[in-house]
Amino acid sequence: MTTTLLVLLVGELLTPFHGDFRDALPHAFPEGVPEVGLGLSAPPGRTVAWVTVQAGGLEVEVVLHTARIPGDLRRVLRFTAEDAVRDRAKAAAFTLAAMVRERDADLKALEPAPEAATPGQPTPWLLEASLLGGVDVRGNGGAGLGVGLRHELTRWLQLGAGVEVGLFATPSTTLVQPALFLELAVPLTRGRFSTAVALGGGVAAPILSRNGMDLTTWLPLLRVAAEGRLMLGSHHGLRFALSAHFVSSSLTVRVGETELGKVGPVWIRPELGYFGEL
């Protein structure tokens, strides 16, 4: 309160009391000297003190008004002629400081009690399962299934892990492509419908099959995704995503010495699934 307190001096303002009172305020209010002016009225809503010096300076009245508390604090100080003006001004300044502290305590009592701290709830893991579509840059299409976990590390960073198996058509062969990856996601919006972008990496093991013969190739995998989640309840909902999977090289499809075409190295995949808290 002290830094916003306005003190108005009233009465014998030509006496030395005025200057001595101002000199005493920094000692009475070490945490912040109040504003001092002359007059009888102040802007509404301000915390105001009127210091009135009666004839002869032998009586000083201090009135403190606080807008949020009904009723004013009032103190009357009486002196004798032997009391120096400086001592009278100092007594008035320290009396005002004591009144301000009393009103500060009253204001604090009006504040609502702080709510008891409740232990933070651990952030749940989300388990998700999605159907995958997909097409590579050469037009080879397919579908698959993915399962993943997602956990919020901070408000702006999530950790995810996933495993997927896709089945794609290729020239004269079948491509089965399992993949395992870790990813970091950054939420963009929150609420009932939330969005995020994700970047991850892992390994893919494309398997080309033809006439009972399998050829497996292990390749590093880069995953980029944009996703949205629609809450259907407090702990579950639908998941939508559009992702791109990049492997380090395309796959060559051969029959004997004859090259029939290539697959990859980029797959664009829409994803639709369901998620729930563990």
Side-chain angles (χ1 to χ4, degrees), residues 1-269:
M1 178 192 295
T2 54
T3 56
T4 61
L5 174 65
L6 172 62
V7 180
L8 296 177
L9 297 176
V10 184
E12 293 187 354
L13 302 176
L14 300 180
T15 66
F17 181 90
H18 186 175
D20 291 336
F21 180 77
R22 285 179 176 270
D23 292 342
L25 284 177
H27 303 285
F29 293 88
E31 67 278 14
V33 180
E35 177 187 353
V36 179
L38 308 178
L40 297 174
S41 61
R46 289 292 301 271
T47 296
V48 186
W50 288 270
V51 179
T52 303
V53 183
Q54 302 296 334
L58 298 181
E59 185 174 292
V60 177
E61 183 181 51
V62 182
V63 178
L64 177 62
H65 169 78
T66 305
R68 288 178 54 195
I69 298 181
D72 299 332
L73 286 181
R74 186 181 303 269
R75 301 286 187 273
V76 177
L77 307 178
R78 293 182 174 83
F79 304 95
T80 66
E82 288 74 24
D83 293 322
V85 175
R86 178 173 296 178
D87 293 337
R88 303 174 199 174
K90 184 177 180 181
F94 277 87
T95 297
L96 176 58
M99 295 165 69
V100 168
R101 288 193 294 271
E102 182 178 341
R103 269 299 183 245
D104 281 342
D106 294 339
L107 284 172
K108 194 167 186 178
L110 293 177
E111 296 176 357
E115 295 183 2
T118 56
Q121 296 295 322
T123 304
W125 284 87
L126 298 181
L127 175 64
E128 53 196 32
S130 301
L131 295 174
L132 317 172
V135 61
D136 73 357
V137 292
R138 306 173 195 278
N140 300 303
L145 177 66
V147 178
L149 287 173
R150 179 67 63 84
H151 183 65
E152 190 170 89
L153 300 176
T154 69
R155 180 171 175 79
W156 299 111
L157 189 63
Q158 299 171 349
L159 173 65
V163 59
E164 299 177 351
V165 177
L167 181 64
F168 297 90
T170 60
S172 301
T173 61
T174 299
L175 172 65
V176 179
Q177 181 157 294
L180 177 67
F181 59 86
L182 295 175
E183 65 181 356
L184 292 174
V186 177
L188 300 179
T189 61
R190 292 177 178 271
R192 186 166 181 264
F193 181 73
S194 60
T195 59
V197 293
L199 178 65
V203 62
I207 305 170
L208 287 171
S209 299
R210 184 174 186 274
N211 297 331
M213 301 290 291
D214 296 335
L215 175 63
T216 303
T217 306
W218 293 87
L219 296 173
L221 169 71
L222 175 66
R223 169 183 166 83
V224 180
E227 65 177 27
R229 295 174 185 270
L230 176 63
M231 299 296 295
L232 300 179
S234 58
H235 303 289
H236 64 98
L238 295 178
R239 174 182 178 272
F240 315 87
L242 182 65
S243 66
H245 279 196
F246 303 82
V247 295
S248 58
S249 65
S250 57
L251 303 173
T252 302
V253 179
R254 297 178 182 275
V255 175
E257 298 297 324
T258 304
E259 180 178 321
L260 300 181
K262 294 182 181 294
V263 183
V266 181
W267 283 265
I268 304 299
R269 304 123 44 79

